[in-house]
Amino acid sequence: MFSKQLQPLIFVAFILTSALSVSSSPADIEKGRRKVVHVLEDDTGAVIVQTAPGKVVTHRGGSITLPCRFHHEPENVDPARIRIKWTKVTDTLQFEDVFVALGKQQRVFGSYRGRVFLEQAGPGDASVIIQNVTLEDYGRYECEVTNDMEDDTGFVNLDLEGVVFPYYPREGRYKLNYYQAEDACKKQDAILASHSQLHKAWLEGLDWCNAGWLEDGSVQYPISHPRDECGRKDTPAGVRNYGYRHKEDERYDAFCFTSKLNGKVYFLKRFKKVNYAEAIKACIRDGSVAAKVGQLYAAWKFQLLDRCEAGWLEDGSIRYPIVNPRSRCGGSQPGVRNLGFPDKKFRLYGVYCFRENKDEAAGGTGKTKSVIESLTRRKSSNSIPMNATKVI
């Protein structure tokens, strides 16, 4: 039992991931000065803290709560002395400040300004709400609660619903260093995929025989159907890994990740085929813009766009999305068909356009604010949910 003079901080992190376990060093408890909680990880890299099932999952443009709770023993601690800090942890063990609060004083950092708020669901609630979630918000977050000399931390993984797609530019295969691959994905309304995102895509059937950069600087590629030209036929299926490569000197393709759209991709119906320049102008005249590759993949994934007509995209490639495979539309598997980068003067194709839903964006922001306001009025509660692990 701790002495009353020490007033140690008891911290409980609600992290919606898979199986859980927390280890505490007896030697740290015997010191009587500070309790250190060692958060363990399993082989999958999932954070292991409590027994709650599932994941913290949302999509681009959505709102999500990163759950985190704490309480004190004894409980008569001045709330003004409690410091809550949220940071984002990158794979290179760098930390990006997100949010900090000391009593009633709060500060939000960088791209999170105007989008991150304390949930304020009662005493001991350090949870934050992120609204209008972006692709860049994906990743691992640390919740740190400090009371004078006492502090504890927990981790929350924010996952996004989305789709991974391989990408290479007009110049051809294996032309991108890491920074060029990162830029190429951004230009296609996407980000470089993580290993876990690529692995999930492989589990869902992604098979691609060209290696590409991932966001951690590694180079990998997914093989669902082993064959000699893709690492030998007698090797098992899986995600092939070249390891971490030189980010400036070596060149590969890219694996990009995108999520739900705030808008709609559609095939522009015309009486005649158009070249690239005419395609761009046609979308503009229709109140839209030529769709990016990531937008077409997102429309195929979430909008279930199915069109057996090849069309220009903004990067000059020709593609078309197939949800229901048929023999005359490129084979037996669903996916986005890629016909490459033809001469931009060819009048052989239609065009896919993207129209942003500005009304929905404005309405979504208002809806999120109303949700936050209702959360702040929620009845205060000092209780800890039954499925939480109390760390002492």
Side-chain angles (χ1 to χ4, degrees), residues 235-307:
T235 57
V239 178
R240 310 277 196 261
N241 192 342
Y242 286 3
Y244 298 99
R245 315 305 298 181
H246 196 287
K247 290 185 175 181
E248 294 183 351
D249 294 345
E250 299 191 42
R251 283 167 167 74
Y252 300 93
D253 294 344
F255 284 103
C256 307
F257 173 85
T258 193
S259 186
K260 186 177 179 181
L261 295 169
N262 176 31
K264 180 181 180 180
V265 173
Y266 62 97
F267 185 82
L268 183 60
K269 296 181 180 179
R270 294 179 59 86
F271 294 108
K272 62 180 182 179
K273 305 299 184 181
V274 293
N275 62 30
Y276 177 78
E278 292 167 342
I280 298 298
K281 292 178 181 178
C283 286
I284 294 175
R285 283 196 299 268
D286 202 51
S288 306
V289 294
K292 301 177 184 294
V293 176
Q295 292 169 337
L296 185 63
Y297 270 93
W300 168 74
K301 176 76 172 182
F302 296 102
Q303 188 181 315
L304 299 181
L305 182 62
D306 184 287
R307 188 86 185 192

Side-chain angles (χ1 to χ4, degrees), residues 158-339:
L158 172 57
D159 198 5
L160 296 179
E161 297 173 344
V163 57
V164 172
F165 62 94
Y167 187 80
Y168 61 89
R170 175 177 287 274
E171 291 74 22
R173 300 283 176 86
Y174 290 3
K175 299 294 183 181
L176 304 172
N177 65 25
Y178 174 83
Y179 303 103
Q180 292 168 335
E182 189 175 44
D183 185 60
C185 287
K186 288 181 179 179
K187 288 181 178 179
Q188 300 311 315
D189 192 43
I191 57 175
L192 278 175
S194 69
H195 168 72
S196 62
Q197 289 168 340
L198 183 64
H199 185 264
K200 180 181 178 181
W202 169 73
L203 290 175
E204 295 173 350
L206 181 61
D207 184 282
W208 194 254
C209 197
N210 292 85
W213 291 102
L214 297 183
E215 55 91 20
D216 64 354
S218 66
V219 174
Q220 306 181 31
Y221 64 101
I223 295 297
S224 298
H225 308 287
R227 47 208 184 270
D228 289 335
E229 59 270 28
C230 300
R232 298 210 314 268
K233 186 176 181 179
D234 58 352
T235 57
V239 178
R240 310 277 196 261
N241 192 342
Y242 286 3
Y244 298 99
R245 315 305 298 181
H246 196 287
K247 290 185 175 181
E248 294 183 351
D249 294 345
E250 299 191 42
R251 283 167 167 74
Y252 300 93
D253 294 344
F255 284 103
C256 307
F257 173 85
T258 193
S259 186
K260 186 177 179 181
L261 295 169
N262 176 31
K264 180 181 180 180
V265 173
Y266 62 97
F267 185 82
L268 183 60
K269 296 181 180 179
R270 294 179 59 86
F271 294 108
K272 62 180 182 179
K273 305 299 184 181
V274 293
N275 62 30
Y276 177 78
E278 292 167 342
I280 298 298
K281 292 178 181 178
C283 286
I284 294 175
R285 283 196 299 268
D286 202 51
S288 306
V289 294
K292 301 177 184 294
V293 176
Q295 292 169 337
L296 185 63
Y297 270 93
W300 168 74
K301 176 76 172 182
F302 296 102
Q303 188 181 315
L304 299 181
L305 182 62
D306 184 287
R307 188 86 185 192
C308 193
E309 294 186 70
W312 293 101
L313 295 184
E314 186 267 346
D315 69 337
S317 65
I318 300 294
R319 305 174 193 248
Y320 61 100
I322 296 297
V323 174
N324 302 306
R326 49 264 198 206
S327 58
R328 64 184 182 87
C329 298
S332 60
Q333 298 297 320
V336 175
R337 312 288 191 247
N338 182 4
L339 303 185

Side-chain angles (χ1 to χ4, degrees), residues 27 57 71 77 116 132 134 146 150 211 215 238 266 285 318 365:
V57 181
H71 76 279
V77 176
V116 174
N132 193 22
T134 69
T146 305
E150 305 294 332
E215 55 91 20
Y266 62 97
R285 283 196 299 268
I318 300 294
T365 301

